[in-house]
Amino acid sequence: MLNITDAEKKALKARGIILTNDGEHFIERVLSSNGVFTNEQMQIITDCAKKYGNGKVALTTRLTMEIQGIPFENVEACFEEIQAEGHMYIGGTSSLVRPVVACKGTVCVHGLMDTQGFSDRVFNEFYLKWHTVRLPHKFKIGIGGCPNNCVKPGFHDFGIMGQSVPDYDPDLCNACSKCSVIGTCLVKAATQDEDGNLVIDADKCTNCGKCIGACNFDSIEEKERGYKVTIGGIWGKTQRMATPVPGIYSEDEVMKLIEKAILLYREQGITGERFGRTIDRIGPDNFIAQLLADDVLDRKQEILDAKLHLVGGATC
């Protein structure tokens, strides 16, 4: 049986080196900035699996790879070889910003945004640069390129979803007997009234953009393209659907919202409390008002220097 202390196991896990259920071997969790690995990177991973582990590599639901069956004496050598590549990392654990999950919107026919490129940006800023910022609990970021929800942004602590908002001009509608727009709308937001005029139900519309350009008389153009933001999603032993933040945002605006969300979570969350539960405790409307305010970044250093809150009001 492996002879290391619980403290040593915990320290290894914090680095992405996790003891398996046999009590003797470890897995090392390998991540990229956006879930994409090159041929050369894949070769390094499989070579390390053969050299240091049992030859097996498992894929995780968060687009990382885990080298399996690593004996304790091989842990550091495997870690160093993966990290030496320069664009792959061992990690993805602890009460920190976790690796970003992005769908393949960059290459998908439904993708509205360059999700993998944006994931690079978010990863480099909030996973790498903020990796020493301790949070009350893990903080997961999901980026979807359209409303198809393939990576379930609404169940992430911070969800980002590509949007293409239609701009319908009813004056250009010719009340066609067979409307070309209705057939493109999979959520049934587009219908016709008793006179044959097109009607779009904004409450049902998901901003997928499929209707834009579908009208033979150009009654629907794109009003704006950007990201929908949701906060506080939880997917685990209990679930919480994320709370939507009103508005459509650019990449730069989303980056600021991520930063403010992390700062508010660090400032007002209680150790062990998921982000969504912090939002519920504070009140979603209250939290969103703080998120959209301008003063959070002014207090950035103060928040980062402060200690985390424990249950009962103590600090650590």
Side-chain angles (χ1 to χ4, degrees):
M1 183 63 69
L2 185 65
N3 186 25
I4 62 173
T5 66
D6 288 341
E8 289 173 314
K9 294 175 187 176
K10 185 176 180 179
L12 286 168
K13 184 176 181 180
R15 296 168 57 200
I17 304 169
I18 305 167
L19 184 65
T20 60
N21 58 9
D22 68 1
E24 296 184 8
H25 295 87
F26 292 82
I27 63 96
E28 294 199 15
R29 185 172 295 164
V30 186
L31 40 133
S32 69
S33 63
N34 57 12
V36 177
F37 293 85
T38 67
N39 173 72
E40 291 78 13
Q41 290 171 333
M42 294 283 284
Q43 189 65 59
I44 292 171
I45 292 169
T46 55
D47 286 347
C48 285
K50 184 176 181 180
K51 189 187 305 185
Y52 303 116
N54 61 11
K56 296 181 180 180
V57 178
L59 306 178
T60 76
T61 58
R62 295 190 62 77
L63 306 183
T64 68
M65 297 191 186
E66 292 184 345
I67 299 173
Q68 298 187 333
I70 306 172
F72 179 64
E73 59 269 21
N74 290 348
V75 159
E76 292 301 335
C78 184
F79 181 91
E80 291 173 5
E81 188 161 336
I82 292 292
Q83 294 277 127
E85 186 272 341
H87 296 92
M88 292 191 297
Y89 310 88
I90 303 291
T93 54
S94 298
S95 296
L96 306 165
V97 175
R98 294 291 184 89
V100 184
V101 173
C103 77
K104 61 172 188 172
T106 300
V107 297
C108 178
V109 295
H110 302 295
L112 299 170
M113 316 298 284
D114 178 11
T115 51
Q116 291 165 353
F118 192 23
S119 181
D120 283 336
R121 184 178 179 186
V122 174
F123 180 92
N124 290 330
E125 179 64 32
F126 296 108
Y127 181 79
L128 295 182
K129 293 182 182 179
W130 289 60
H131 205 59
T132 58
V133 177
R134 202 77 183 172
L135 300 175
H137 209 295
K138 57 191 172 185
F139 190 90
K140 297 180 177 180
I141 301 171
I143 304 176
C146 78
N148 281 354
N149 279 306
C150 294
V151 296
K152 301 177 179 64
F155 284 111
H156 283 72
D157 295 284
F158 196 100
I160 306 164
M161 179 189 293
Q163 300 275 276
S164 177
V165 182
D167 185 15
Y168 169 52
D169 184 350
D171 291 337
L172 295 179
C173 176
N174 275 12
C176 300
S177 58
K178 185 175 182 180
C179 177
S180 58
V181 173
I182 290 176
T184 68
C185 184
L186 300 179
V187 296
K188 309 300 182 187
T191 58
Q192 286 175 296
D193 64 18
E194 58 185 13
D195 296 320
N197 296 304
L198 176 66
V199 178
I200 296 181
D201 186 337
D203 292 332
K204 289 184 178 180
C205 179
T206 60
N207 299 327
C208 70
K210 297 296 184 183
C211 65
I212 296 170
C215 174
N216 295 324
F217 299 96
D218 301 321
S219 68
I220 303 179
E221 297 182 349
E222 185 175 65
K223 182 178 182 180
E224 68 178 318
R225 182 174 292 217
Y227 289 100
K228 175 182 178 179
V229 167
T230 58
I231 54 174
I234 299 174
W235 183 254
K237 297 181 183 68
T238 60
Q239 294 82 46
R240 180 190 189 276
M241 179 60 76
T243 301
V245 177
I248 302 294
Y249 300 94
S250 68
E251 279 194 11
D252 288 346
E253 290 171 328
V254 172
M255 292 293 286
K256 289 183 179 179
L257 288 174
I258 296 172
E259 184 172 12
K260 290 196 285 186
I262 294 171
L263 290 170
L264 288 170
Y265 183 33
R266 176 176 169 78
E267 179 184 51
Q268 300 179 35
I270 297 170
T271 298
E273 179 181 65
R274 288 297 301 270
F275 184 42
R277 304 306 176 203
T278 299
I279 292 171
D280 286 338
R281 177 170 52 80
I282 294 171
D285 291 341
N286 181 356
F287 192 91
I288 289 172
Q290 293 185 64
L291 183 67
L292 297 179
D294 295 328
D295 68 324
V296 181
L297 296 181
D298 295 336
R299 297 185 287 109
K300 177 177 178 177
Q301 199 56 53
E302 175 187 342
I303 294 171
L304 293 178
D305 290 342
K307 296 180 179 180
L308 293 177
H309 297 281
L310 286 175
V311 175
T315 59
C316 69

